[in-house]
Amino acid sequence: MARGKILAICQSGGEFITDSDGSMSYSGGEAHAIDINCEMSLSDLRSEISAMFSFNAGTFSIKYFLPRNKRTLITISNDKDLQRMVDFHADSDTTDIFVTKKVESRIIRSVVADSGTSTDANTASVATLEEAKRQKLCINWDSMITGVGQVFSSPKAFRDALHKYAIANSFMYRFIKNDGSRVTAECTVEDCPWRIHASRSSAKQKFMIKKMNDIHTCGKELSKESRRLASQRWVASIIKDKLRDTPNYRPKDIAKDLQQEYGLSLNYSQAWRGKFIAKKELHNSHEEAFSQLSWFCERIIDTNPGSVATLHTSDDSRFCFFVTFRASLYGFEHGCRPLLFLDGLSLKANKQWKLLAATAVDGQNDIYPVAFCVLDSEASENWHWFLVQLKSAFTLSHAITFVSSSQNGLEELPEVFADSFHGYSEQHLIENFKKEMDESWTQELKDKMVGHLKRAICACKVDEFNESIENIRIQSKELAEWVLGMKPEFWSDAFFKGLRYGHYSSGAAEIFNDWVSTRYEPSVLQIVDILRCKLMEMMYSRHESSNTWTEGLVPSANQKVQEEMIKARSLSVACSSDCVFEVSDESTNVINIKTRECTCRRWQVTGLPCMHALAVLERTNGCIYDYCSKYLLTECYRHAYSLSINPIPDVGGPVFADSFHAATTCPPRTRRLAGRPKEKPAEPRIIIKRAVRCSKCQGLGHNKQTCKAQI
C-alpha cells in the first residue's frame, strides 16, 4: 500500500468470541472494503460507513485491534485516533475495523441478562459495556491534553489534567521530572514511546506543553495497576459532591461506582480512605465558613454603610451568603441601564462553592457587578432566596429587564419581580441550538446556522426574523421548528417587550474566574474578599478614566454615532411635520423625533439614534445628545462610579472578644507527616525498692562488703 494509506475491512452485525488465551475474534455479520488515507477525517469516515451499512450518524462506534494485540479493542473517537490507526497499520496489508451500534449494545446486554444466552453473547455484551463506561470520559477527559502549545495556569493544573487524561486513555505514567518549573512524564510500559514535557514559558511565564509524543505502542490496557491512578485525594474530589447529598455512601458502593464510571479497580481500603478525606474536607469547609462569615457580615456593614450582607443557614449545614455594596447599588440605580443578567457559575479555583451573580452593563458596555451570592448548591430555592434579597436591596420604582438561561432563576423571577421583563440568554440558546445538530453536520454548515440564529435574535422587525428562520428551514425543517418552539418572545428583539439595549448575554463567568486565582484553593471568606478587592479597584479605575473624557457621550457610543453619521449623509430626508420625517435609502422609514421612534426599530432597541434619525437631526440641526439614552451620556457614566468601596482591615482572620467564640474557632489545618507515627514512650511505673541492710553493722544503705564500720 502507498505510504499513509491503508485498506480497511469494515465489519458489522457479528459478535466477538474470546479464545482460551484471552484473545478475541470476530464472527458473522457483513463486511465491506474501504480505503483510508492520512488526510481523511473522522466525519468523512462516519459518512461512508453510514451509507455503507445504512446507519444513522452518531448511533455507532468504530473500533480496531492494534498489531499483534487481539485482546484490547481501541475506540476511534476523534481525528487524532484515526490518524494513529493509519500510522500503526502502515506496514499491514489490510486492517479490520469493527462497527458496533450503540443502541444494539444496550439491547444485547438486556437480552443476555433476561434470557441467559451463551457465553459468547455475554462476552460481546461485556465489550460494549466497557465502551459505555468510558463514554463520559471520552467526551470530557479525553481532550484534557490537546498537544504542544497548550497552556495551563500552574504545574498543579497540568498534573491534574494529565491524571484525568491517563484515566480516560487507559494507560499508566510515571514522572521523570516533577517540580515547580517543569514536569516530564512517560508511559510506564517499557519501549512505549509516549512522553510529555511541560515547563514555564520564558515570555509569558505560563505553564505550557513544550514536547509531546502522543503515540502508544503498549496497547493502553489498564489492569490491577489502575488503582495506582486512583489516589486518595483524587477519589475524595470525585465523590465529594455525591457524599454531600448522600452521607451514607458506603466504600463498597464507591468502589463499584468508580469501576462502572471510570473503569478503575479499587479495593475497600482505598475507597474508605477517599471517603474519610472527603468527609473531613466537607466538615472543615462548612465549619470554617460558619465561624468566619457571620463576622465578615458585620465588618462589611461597619466599613461600607448602606451595604447588604446576609448569611442564611439551614439545618443540614448548608448556607447562602449574599453581598451587595452600597457603591454598586447606587451606581446601578443612577448610572446603569435597568438591565440585569443572572448567572450561576462554578469557580475554577474552588469548585465546591457556587456563585450566583447579578450583573449590569454600564455606558461603555462593560460588565458592572451589582450583587453576588456564595453557596454550595445551585438549587431553585437558593435562586428564590437570592432574588428576594436582591429585591429587598433595591429602591427602584421602574421595571427591570432580566436576562438569564431558562434554568437559572427564570422560573422564580415572576414570583419576586412581578412587573419586570424576563428574557433568555443568547449564550444558552446557542448552546442548546448546537446540541440539536448531530455529527452529520459539517462545522462550516453549523457556523452558518448559528449565524442565522444570531440574526434572528438581533432582528428588530418581524420580517427580518422570518427571513432568518426561513434560511434555517432550507437546511432543516426540524431545526426551524425547534427554534420557533423556544418561544421567540423571550429572546428575539422583534417580539421581546423589554429593553436589552443590544446586549443578549453576560460574560460574568469569565470575569469572576479571572478575578479569583487558581494557584491555591481559597476559602469562602477569601473568595468574597477577593471579589470585594477587585470591585474596589474596578470602581476606582473606571472613575478616574471617566474624568479624562471631554465628549458628552461615552467613547464607545460616540464612535458608533460617528460611524452611523457617515451612512446618514447619503440618505434622503422629507419633512412631514415638526417632528415626523420620512427617510429613504433602499427602503422608506418614518422617524418621530418627539417619541424617539423609527420604523426600523434600532433606535428603540439600542437607545442610540439610528442612521435614519441622525440624517433627520443633521437636517434640523438637532443636538444628538438630547436624543440619546441618558445611560450613554458621560455624566450618567460618572454617576455609576461616583461612590467607592471602602477597604476592610483584618480580613486575614476574625478576632473575637469573648472566650466562647474564641473556643469555637477552627484550628489551622495541619498535614499528616509521611511514615508511621512515632509512639510515645510508656510512662515509667513507680517501683518501691526494699532498703539494703548491712549484715555486719545492721545499718541501712550499704552491704557488708562496702561497710566501713570497725568490728
Side-chain angles (χ1 to χ4, degrees):
M1 296 293 294
R3 186 67 178 171
K5 183 177 181 181
I6 62 174
L7 177 62
I9 301 176
C10 301
Q11 303 183 56
S12 178
E15 60 181 5
F16 289 97
I17 300 175
T18 304
D19 299 333
S20 58
D21 59 351
S23 62
M24 289 190 292
S25 60
Y26 196 77
S27 176
E30 58 177 318
H32 296 272
I34 182 175
D35 288 334
I36 301 178
N37 54 40
C38 58
E39 298 179 356
M40 177 177 285
S41 63
L42 180 59
S43 59
D44 295 337
L45 179 60
R46 281 186 171 275
S47 299
E48 291 202 26
I49 293 177
S50 299
M52 189 181 299
F53 293 104
S54 299
F55 290 164
N56 293 327
T59 62
F60 60 88
S61 300
I62 306 174
K63 300 175 179 293
Y64 69 96
F65 286 118
L66 289 171
R68 297 178 297 279
N69 186 342
K70 297 295 183 180
R71 298 186 179 186
T72 307
L73 281 169
I74 308 300
T75 303
I76 302 177
S77 57
N78 51 47
D79 292 338
K80 286 187 177 180
D81 290 342
L82 182 60
Q83 179 63 42
R84 295 189 193 106
M85 185 194 72
V86 175
D87 294 339
F88 293 159
H89 295 84
D91 299 330
S92 304
D93 295 332
T94 59
T95 303
D96 292 326
I97 293 179
F98 309 102
V99 181
T100 59
K101 296 194 68 175
K102 295 179 180 178
V103 177
E104 289 179 357
S105 66
R106 293 193 291 268
I107 295 175
I108 292 173
R109 186 186 173 199
S110 63
V111 169
V112 171
D114 296 337
S115 61
T117 53
S118 64
T119 307
D120 297 340
N122 189 29
T123 305
S125 67
V126 171
T128 56
L129 179 61
E130 291 298 327
E131 174 193 351
K133 291 176 184 176
R134 303 193 175 277
Q135 185 175 6
K136 179 181 177 181
L137 286 176
C138 291
I139 296 174
N140 298 323
W141 291 3
D142 191 48
S143 58
M144 296 294 289
I145 301 294
T146 57
V148 177
Q150 186 179 1
V151 177
F152 298 88
S153 59
S154 63
K156 180 180 181 299
F158 169 72
R159 286 190 289 266
D160 292 342
L162 178 61
H163 192 85
K164 294 178 180 179
Y165 180 77
I167 295 174
N169 288 275
S170 305
F171 71 94
M172 296 290 298
Y173 66 93
R174 59 171 169 260
F175 288 113
I176 305 300
K177 298 175 182 177
N178 186 15
D179 51 44
S181 60
R182 57 185 179 178
V183 176
T184 304
E186 66 178 8
C187 184
T188 57
V189 179
E190 189 177 356
D191 298 331
C192 181
W194 188 92
R195 186 183 177 93
I196 190 170
H197 173 76
S199 61
R200 292 194 179 277
S201 173
S202 58
K204 300 181 180 180
Q205 289 298 313
K206 292 184 177 180
F207 208 75
M208 181 187 300
I209 297 178
K210 300 295 185 62
K211 297 179 182 180
M212 181 176 180
N213 187 348
D214 200 24
I215 298 177
H216 276 279
T217 59
C218 57
K220 300 193 301 182
E221 182 179 359
L222 278 180
S223 60
K224 293 183 179 180
E225 292 185 351
S226 63
R227 65 185 60 180
R228 291 169 52 193
L229 288 174
S231 62
Q232 299 175 20
R233 294 286 178 183
W234 183 85
V235 173
S237 65
I238 292 296
I239 67 172
K240 188 183 296 183
D241 293 336
K242 189 170 182 178
L243 188 63
R244 184 186 294 112
D245 300 328
T246 311
N248 296 325
Y249 197 18
R250 299 182 302 175
K252 181 174 66 174
D253 297 331
I254 293 174
K256 181 179 178 181
D257 291 344
L258 291 180
Q259 171 65 33
Q260 291 179 350
E261 296 177 6
Y262 304 102
L264 297 176
S265 300
L266 271 71
N267 54 34
Y268 185 90
S269 60
Q270 279 183 300
W272 186 90
R273 293 190 193 100
K275 178 183 177 180
F276 178 79
I277 294 175
K279 287 182 65 176
K280 186 176 180 180
E281 290 179 355
L282 288 174
H283 177 72
N284 288 347
S285 60
H286 283 86
E287 192 177 57
E288 183 181 2
F290 287 139
S291 64
Q292 294 179 342
L293 291 183
S294 58
W295 170 85
F296 197 51
C297 282
E298 298 176 359
R299 298 296 294 157
I300 290 176
I301 296 173
D302 291 342
T303 56
N304 293 268
S307 302
V308 179
T310 308
L311 178 63
H312 170 72
T313 60
S314 58
D315 297 335
D316 56 351
S317 300
R318 296 180 181 272
F319 70 91
C320 303
F321 185 49
F322 175 88
V323 178
T324 178
F325 293 96
R326 168 62 179 162
S328 300
L329 286 173
Y330 180 86
F332 171 69
E333 295 178 355
H334 295 84
C336 293
R337 308 161 207 185
L339 172 67
L340 277 179
F341 294 91
L342 300 178
D343 293 283
L345 53 110
S346 298
L347 294 174
K348 295 179 181 178
N350 192 333
K351 295 184 179 180
Q352 178 180 351
W353 309 113
K354 311 296 180 183
L355 192 70
L356 307 184
T359 56
V361 180
D362 61 16
Q364 271 287 84
N365 301 324
D366 293 324
I367 292 179
Y368 188 94
V370 178
F372 60 88
C373 178
V374 181
L375 36 77
D376 57 357
S377 175
E378 191 181 344
S380 58
E381 57 269 18
N382 292 337
W383 267 109
H384 185 270
W385 183 84
F386 173 71
L387 293 173
V388 170
Q389 300 302 314
L390 189 65
K391 185 176 182 179
S392 63
F394 286 154
T395 59
L396 291 171
S397 58
H398 54 271
I400 303 175
T401 298
F402 289 91
V403 178
S404 171
S405 66
S406 56
Q407 294 82 18
N408 292 344
L410 200 59
E411 297 177 355
E412 289 75 21
L413 270 172
E415 302 177 10
V416 183
F417 294 90
D419 300 329
S420 299
F421 302 99
H422 320 125
Y424 292 155
S425 169
E426 176 191 49
Q427 178 182 357
H428 292 278
L429 185 65
I430 292 177
E431 288 177 358
N432 294 332
F433 181 73
K434 290 180 178 179
K435 293 178 182 178
E436 296 296 318
M437 295 182 285
D438 55 24
E439 296 180 356
S440 61
W441 294 71
T442 63
Q443 188 61 41
E444 181 180 358
L445 188 55
K446 286 182 180 180
D447 295 340
K448 185 177 180 181
M449 300 297 281
V450 171
H452 292 319
L453 179 61
K454 289 183 178 179
R455 282 188 285 273
I457 295 173
C458 303
C460 296
K461 297 192 293 185
V462 178
D463 294 341
E464 297 175 357
F465 175 83
N466 292 335
E467 182 181 355
S468 300
I469 296 300
E470 289 302 318
N471 290 332
I472 296 176
R473 194 185 303 275
I474 292 174
Q475 300 295 335
S476 173
K477 294 181 180 179
E478 293 79 8
L479 209 54
E481 293 300 326
W482 180 89
V483 173
L484 295 175
M486 292 299 294
K487 300 179 181 180
E489 62 271 17
F490 285 101
W491 49 267
S492 177
D493 282 335
F495 307 99
F496 189 62
K497 296 181 180 179
L499 286 177
R500 294 179 292 182
Y501 301 94
H503 296 275
Y504 308 102
S505 61
S506 168
E510 289 78 10
I511 188 171
F512 281 115
N513 276 306
D514 288 342
W515 281 355
V516 182
S517 174
T518 57
R519 293 184 178 180
Y520 61 96
E521 189 172 293
S523 64
V524 179
L525 179 66
Q526 291 172 330
I527 291 173
V528 176
D529 193 59
I530 288 172
L531 296 179
R532 178 195 62 81
C533 291
K534 295 295 184 179
L535 283 172
M536 182 174 64
E537 295 175 0
M538 181 198 74
M539 299 287 286
Y540 175 76
S541 61
R542 292 182 182 178
H543 171 75
E544 291 297 312
S545 64
S546 65
N547 290 334
T548 62
W549 299 345
T550 58
E551 298 290 339
L553 290 175
V554 297
S556 61
N558 190 61
Q559 182 180 357
K560 289 183 179 179
V561 168
Q562 299 300 326
E563 294 173 355
E564 292 295 310
M565 185 64 75
I566 298 175
K567 303 176 184 177
R569 289 169 183 164
S570 61
L571 302 180
S572 170
V573 180
C575 181
S576 175
S577 64
D578 293 341
C579 57
V580 179
F581 298 84
E582 183 180 284
V583 178
S584 301
D585 50 358
E586 297 178 355
S587 60
T588 301
N589 294 274
V590 179
I591 294 90
N592 189 326
I593 59 175
K594 185 177 181 180
T595 59
R596 298 186 181 184
E597 292 180 349
C598 177
T599 53
C600 75
R601 297 195 71 250
R602 283 172 175 77
W603 194 359
Q604 299 94 298
V605 169
T606 63
L608 200 65
C610 60
M611 63 178 180
H612 311 112
L614 290 175
V616 172
L617 294 177
E618 187 177 32
R619 174 173 175 173
T620 58
N621 295 323
C623 180
I624 297 177
Y625 302 154
D626 296 337
Y627 295 93
C628 294
S629 172
K630 68 175 183 178
Y631 304 109
L632 302 176
L633 300 178
T634 301
E635 181 182 0
C636 193
Y637 183 90
R638 289 170 179 164
H639 279 305
Y641 298 99
S642 58
L643 300 183
S644 60
I645 298 176
N646 299 325
I648 301 178
D650 302 327
V651 180
V655 180
F656 299 107
D658 58 306
S659 59
F660 172 77
H661 284 92
T664 58
T665 304
C666 297
R669 296 182 180 181
T670 58
R671 186 174 181 180
R672 180 181 177 274
L673 298 177
R676 182 178 178 179
K678 295 182 179 179
E679 296 182 358
K680 294 182 179 180
E683 294 289 339
R685 292 188 299 175
I686 299 176
I687 302 175
I688 300 176
K689 297 182 178 180
R690 182 174 58 87
V692 178
R693 183 181 293 272
C694 180
S695 60
K696 287 183 178 181
C697 65
Q698 302 300 318
L700 298 175
H702 63 277
N703 54 26
K704 66 178 182 180
Q705 293 182 357
T706 58
C707 182
K708 297 180 180 180
Q710 296 180 359
I711 299 177

